[in-house]
Amino acid sequence: MRFVIESDLMRALAVAFLATAAGYPGACFLRTVVSRKLRFIFVAVLAGILLTPLLLTGYAYYTHLPALTARTFWLVSVYMGILVLKYLPVGTFILCLNQYSNTRASDFIFHSIKPGWKTTLTYLFKNWRASFLASAAVIFLLAFNEFELASLMTVPTWTVTIFEMQAGGYPLLDSFRGLLKPFLIQLLPLCVLLGIAWKWAAGQAVVAEESLKPLQPWQWIPTIVAFFGVTFIPLGMTTLSAVGGFREVLRNFALGSDILFSVGVSVMVSLLTLCLLSQVRRRNYLCALAIPGLTGSLFIALVLVALFQNDILNRMYDTPVPLTIALTLIFLPMTIVCWFIADRFGKSTSAYLAHYLAEQTHGNKARALHWKITHSPKLLVMLIVFYFAYLELTASALLAPSGSMPVTVRLYKLMHYGKTSGFSAMTILSILVPVLFTMIVLGLEKGVIRRAWR
Amino acid sequence: MAMSDVLFELLNVTQLTGGVVRLRNITTKIHPGVTAVLGPSGAGKTTLLNLLVGYEKPTSGEVRQNVSATHKLPYFWVPFDLGLWKQHKVIEHLTVLGVNEQKAGEWLKEFDLEEQAAQKASTLSQGQASRLAVARALASEAPLLIFDEPLVHVGPKRMPHYWTVITHYLKERKASLIFSTHDPIIAASFADHGLFLDEGTVQGSGAMDDVLMQVEGGGQNAP
């Protein structure tokens, strides 16, 4: 266990700093690009990488490139490479916010008039110090807690070890003993994040102002590489291998009940998250609620297993309740960040005027306008929660009630048997479900708004 | 229009934003008619107008209002950032108020925006956007208009025409206007009353001419 933890720690640290560095050019691009269209395309590419399930990426590479992963060094290198590319958008988005910058106009001017590696490094360090730390801390937590890809690629990590112990029927206490060191390791990045969040909440953050620069194509390169490596190639490989299997799978669709169960739980997770976010008004209470989520899905799932095996809660153990709570907690940190961003739209002067019009005139157009500005971004946040909850694997595998199987758990189990066209088709169709669900909800919303405008 | 002698009464109003004092223990009254809120940058003009419309709530003190409730829209506001609905067409900014397309077109024509009617607000220049914000406010037919630096990005050539349109609206509807400006010439030309702010406190208030005389060097702060 000791060796595994140390190598996990080094690996996660390397991924954290590499992904943050790789995300830096994209952040520069996003902060300085003038064209709205280019910014939209770039954000869409980043979102595409983030929304691609690691299960799909892992399945594509593990089953299609067995020769590359035959040796441990290459296996771990490929694993780390995929994680760097996968978490690059996290780095880009956090660096892009750059809320905690210590830059001053004089630094920027000094950097501009006296270029050189020393001044550049000093400028970068001063300008991006806190956001680099925030990005590295978040990516470290994600990489350190990663399970799906490691399990599929048979990379020995602490998450795989603990998961297998739990699935193998070891006593829960043994799993908790194994969790102690990883938990302690995670305290440092957690403290860094809390410190930065506290600084942000106290309003001490300084937003760096940068002059707008023309588009520099090189800034796209790491993101494009990540998009191809994580999304495009795995999706393409799996779709190509699935071509012959779609008809067979659609004729005998065995995943129906699994998909229904996953959709049901994910809807409940979205609703529970919405209740929490709309009822808990104070930001620091919300941030406190987000802390468990930062410790990773395996930790939360095991704590909930222990809690619901307790005499008082035991009655609910074999229901979707523990899984719903776990998934809500797991995605709460990400949701809170998205919610705060969405909430800012609702506090703009344009939203205030739309709200005023809707309240005073009761006109359908004014109401539709108010909904579009204030509530549409929040609906999108809920759909993102739905998407991630649907595709979560670790907690789903440990907490699903007996007799029900979340679709990701079914896919994960089948993936160990290797590649078939039928199975590739099942993977693609299962991933399409939340995409279709999102499109239907957004389409309905758009239809209602359009009707109100007539 | 039934309006009492006082539109707004501010009682010991203090406003802190992000730890910075924007307004410091202000007590003043704003009467019907045209009131110009003057002062240099950072004086607290925007904060004062934000408080009047309820966009901000005072940290301490009270803002009392006597704005007519008989109209569908008792007031309309042109905020500091114009508050446009950027993803919507120019003409939709007026039709959403319940104005028919023909009337909306007439308002746009008054502000030289008829050619931009079908464009999205996000594509407008700053001058066009500030004209649209004022046109939308007038189309609301509200008896009270609150403008934060109106027409600030508009060139001087057409400026007198737009002010004529605003003045005509105020006369025709016996409406009131509260607007902030850096420019004492605009304030002297259009306002009946003045309120001079500096560093978050009222330095002078009353009839416009008196305010300009009261505040020594009041005109020197204009850009």
Side-chain angles (χ1 to χ4, degrees):
Chain A
M1 191 71 190
R2 187 165 174 265
F3 172 73
V4 171
I5 279 292
E6 280 167 359
S7 54
D8 283 356
L9 175 66
M10 298 311 289
R11 209 163 36 223
L13 271 174
V15 169
F17 285 101
L18 287 172
T20 302
Y24 172 72
C28 289
F29 175 79
L30 267 184
R31 281 176 54 78
T32 53
V33 66
V34 183
S35 161
R36 279 167 166 263
K37 205 175 263 178
L38 275 178
R39 184 183 293 144
F40 177 80
I41 294 170
F42 195 71
V43 170
V45 170
L46 289 170
I49 301 167
L50 273 182
L51 294 173
T52 306
L54 265 177
L55 213 54
L56 174 76
T57 313
Y59 169 68
Y61 288 126
Y62 180 61
T63 55
H64 291 80
L65 303 169
L68 194 69
T69 54
R71 287 182 172 213
T72 312
F73 172 77
W74 284 110
L75 179 77
V76 174
S77 302
V78 170
Y79 173 66
M80 281 176 67
I82 294 173
L83 288 189
V84 168
L85 298 179
K86 172 71 184 173
Y87 297 137
L88 174 148
V90 178
T92 301
F93 283 130
I94 295 177
L95 291 175
C96 187
L97 290 174
N98 197 19
Q99 290 276 354
Y100 324 107
S101 160
N102 294 318
T103 193
R104 288 182 182 85
S106 56
D107 296 329
F108 184 74
I109 293 163
F110 185 61
H111 167 68
S112 309
I113 58 175
K114 202 185 169 193
W117 68 270
K118 222 173 174 180
T119 40
T120 304
L121 277 181
T122 312
Y123 171 71
L124 280 178
F125 181 72
K126 275 190 167 180
N127 190 14
W128 299 89
R129 188 171 51 194
S131 42
F132 256 108
L133 268 180
S135 164
V138 171
I139 296 173
F140 174 85
L141 290 170
L142 290 169
F144 192 63
N145 284 295
E146 202 287 317
F147 164 71
E148 286 114 306
L149 195 62
S151 175
L152 275 177
M153 293 179 76
T154 60
V155 176
T157 63
W158 71 269
T159 48
V160 175
T161 311
I162 303 271
F163 183 88
E164 282 173 359
M165 277 168 75
Q166 185 59 27
Y170 279 71
L172 194 57
L173 201 63
D174 287 356
S175 301
F176 275 113
R177 271 197 206 112
L179 269 180
L180 188 66
K181 271 188 185 174
F183 180 74
L184 291 175
I185 287 170
Q186 291 180 70
L187 284 181
L188 180 66
L190 272 173
C191 288
V192 169
L193 279 177
L194 288 176
I196 292 169
W198 181 80
K199 202 175 165 187
W200 171 64
Q204 295 165 4
V206 181
V207 179
E209 290 297 333
E210 283 187 25
S211 59
L212 296 178
K213 293 167 196 164
L215 168 66
Q216 293 174 335
W218 67 270
Q219 292 171 333
W220 279 71
I221 293 171
T223 309
I224 293 298
V225 171
F227 180 72
F228 273 86
V230 175
T231 307
F232 190 77
I233 294 173
L235 196 64
M237 286 164 87
T238 313
T239 310
L240 281 178
S241 76
V243 169
F246 282 119
R247 189 177 290 175
E248 181 196 330
V249 169
L250 286 172
R251 198 183 301 145
N252 182 21
F253 199 61
L255 285 176
S257 59
D258 302 340
I259 287 175
L260 269 179
F261 177 77
S262 289
V263 168
V265 169
S266 307
V267 168
M268 274 162 38
V269 169
S270 299
L271 293 175
L272 183 60
T273 308
L274 181 66
C275 284
L276 275 176
L277 292 171
S278 47
Q279 292 305 313
V280 184
R281 297 266 172 207
R282 293 188 65 165
R283 283 191 168 197
N284 38 2
Y285 290 172
L286 271 180
C287 290
L289 276 173
I291 293 172
L294 293 167
T295 59
S297 46
L298 190 57
F299 184 79
I300 290 179
L302 287 176
V303 168
L304 284 168
V305 167
L307 268 177
F308 280 89
Q309 280 181 353
N310 183 292
D311 286 346
I312 305 165
L313 298 171
N314 198 23
R315 247 188 255 166
M316 283 188 281
Y317 182 71
D318 210 18
T319 69
V321 174
L323 180 57
T324 306
I325 295 172
L327 293 176
T328 306
L329 290 174
I330 289 164
F331 297 112
L332 210 51
M334 174 201 75
T335 315
I336 287 173
V337 173
C338 295
W339 186 265
F340 284 168
I341 293 169
D343 200 38
R344 286 180 68 174
F345 290 103
K347 286 179 176 156
S348 61
T349 55
S350 52
Y352 182 84
L353 280 170
H355 175 67
Y356 169 68
L357 279 181
E359 222 173 39
Q360 295 291 330
T361 64
H362 303 291
N364 284 343
K365 280 187 181 180
R367 279 181 185 160
L369 182 68
H370 179 229
W371 170 270
K372 206 172 156 187
I373 296 175
T374 310
H375 300 299
S376 273
K378 290 178 179 171
L379 176 68
L380 201 60
V381 174
M382 289 304 111
L383 288 170
I384 292 171
V385 173
F386 171 85
Y387 182 86
F388 280 110
Y390 177 92
L391 291 167
E392 203 279 341
L393 172 65
T394 318
S396 305
L398 294 175
L399 288 166
S402 53
S404 309
M405 189 174 281
V407 68
T408 45
V409 180
R410 177 85 67 197
L411 290 176
Y412 169 76
K413 284 186 173 168
L414 290 171
M415 275 175 183
H416 285 92
Y417 293 107
K419 180 197 73 176
T420 64
S421 62
F423 179 58
S424 294
M426 279 160 86
T427 307
I428 295 291
L429 288 172
S430 304
I431 291 168
L432 273 178
V433 169
V435 177
L436 280 174
F437 182 86
T438 305
M439 284 168 71
I440 290 168
V441 173
L442 291 179
L444 282 173
E445 187 209 20
K446 208 171 181 182
V448 172
I449 289 175
R450 201 174 281 169
R451 209 169 163 185
W453 270 97
R454 272 185 208 150
Chain B
M1 188 181 63
M3 278 211 188
S4 66
D5 286 348
V6 178
L7 282 177
F8 291 99
E9 188 173 8
L10 287 88
L11 295 167
N12 304 314
V13 170
T14 295
Q15 177 68 343
L16 281 112
T17 313
V20 179
V21 181
R22 303 284 178 199
L23 292 177
R24 205 183 298 268
N25 202 29
I26 280 188
T27 297
T28 192
K29 287 176 182 173
I30 297 173
H31 299 274
V34 181
T35 303
V37 181
L38 285 152
S41 294
K45 302 187 295 292
T46 292
T47 307
L48 177 74
L49 299 189
N50 289 351
L51 286 170
L52 297 184
V53 296
Y55 182 64
E56 287 183 50
K57 300 275 174 260
T59 312
S60 66
E62 196 184 343
V63 180
R64 288 183 188 163
Q65 57 159 289
N66 255 324
V67 180
S68 164
T70 54
H71 285 74
K72 196 165 68 174
L73 292 170
Y75 69 86
F76 211 90
W77 176 42
V78 173
F80 56 97
D81 62 354
L82 308 174
L84 298 182
W85 303 302
K86 300 243 167 110
Q87 295 310 309
H88 284 266
K89 289 176 186 170
V90 166
I91 196 156
E92 286 172 349
H93 281 70
L94 281 65
T95 53
V96 74
L97 302 164
V99 177
N100 65 41
E101 290 218 357
Q102 191 194 337
K103 187 71 188 157
E106 286 170 19
W107 280 116
L108 291 181
K109 198 174 177 187
E110 287 284 22
F111 285 89
D112 302 320
L113 286 167
E114 69 269 43
E115 281 177 23
Q116 285 78 31
Q119 272 179 233
K120 281 192 175 173
S122 58
T123 64
L124 296 180
S125 69
Q126 284 196 311
Q128 290 168 335
S130 56
R131 278 184 270 144
L132 173 60
V134 174
R136 177 180 60 177
L138 301 191
S140 75
E141 301 188 351
L144 170 64
L145 303 174
I146 297 173
F147 290 176
D148 197 342
E149 309 248 2
L151 306 169
V152 70
H153 301 292
V154 174
K157 201 175 161 191
R158 291 289 283 164
M159 183 76 96
H161 167 73
Y162 303 137
W163 270 107
T164 307
V165 176
I166 296 170
T167 313
H168 182 70
Y169 172 93
L170 297 173
K171 275 187 186 159
E172 197 181 58
R173 296 176 192 282
K174 291 179 185 153
S176 292
L177 169 68
I178 304 167
F179 71 101
S180 65
T181 180
H182 283 92
D183 191 343
I185 298 167
I186 286 183
S189 311
F190 300 103
D192 312 314
H193 314 289
L195 187 67
F196 191 92
L197 295 177
D198 198 10
E199 293 183 355
T201 56
V202 176
Q203 299 290 317
S205 66
M208 193 65 235
D209 295 341
D210 296 342
V211 169
L212 288 175
M213 285 184 30
Q214 267 174 37
V215 182
E216 192 185 22
Q220 288 168 10
N221 286 310

